[in-house]
Amino acid sequence: VAWIGHAAEIAAGTAFAPDVVIADAQSRGDDLITVLDQIGHDGRICPVIELRPPGEYPSAVLGEAMIGEHPLVGSLERTYKIGALTAILASLATGTGRSEDAA
């Protein structure tokens, strides 16, 4: 499993930390905050994409909203198309400067 991480992440002990969290908007309660707190216990920031019921608008202004210390970077209907998720992930990866992340 460690092979899926970059060598620098494996050496730093962060290879198994998530790069993004996808969470149901209706479950954005204490459980999500607890998970994000555990991810960010060492200052790590993890972008969050919310899933919402079809036809509902995003619960916050994307790019400005935060869940704890973590930015809300995308919003998808629960029955999303893979292309919509891929577009959000690609936009996150292009900011890293690592082409393998976008792939």
Side-chain angles (χ1 to χ4, degrees):
V1 176
W3 292 353
I4 65 173
H6 296 283
E9 292 173 332
I10 294 167
T14 59
F16 300 104
D19 293 319
V20 66
V21 170
I22 301 173
D24 193 303
Q26 291 182 335
S27 68
R28 284 183 41 189
D30 292 339
D31 290 340
L32 178 58
I33 297 300
T34 299
V35 168
L36 291 174
D37 284 348
Q38 290 173 351
I39 291 169
H41 79 278
D42 59 354
R44 181 179 174 87
I45 301 297
C46 188
V48 179
I49 299 171
E50 74 170 358
L51 295 179
R52 55 186 161 68
E56 248 185 46
Y57 289 103
S59 61
V61 178
L62 301 176
E64 297 176 13
M66 302 289 284
I67 301 174
E69 300 293 318
H70 308 274
L72 181 63
V73 297
S75 181
L76 297 168
E77 289 187 350
R78 283 190 194 121
T79 56
Y80 65 89
K81 303 272 189 225
I82 193 66
L85 175 59
T86 302
I88 294 171
L89 296 176
S91 70
L92 289 174
T94 56
T96 67
R98 298 187 331 204
S99 60
E100 68 271 17
D101 288 347

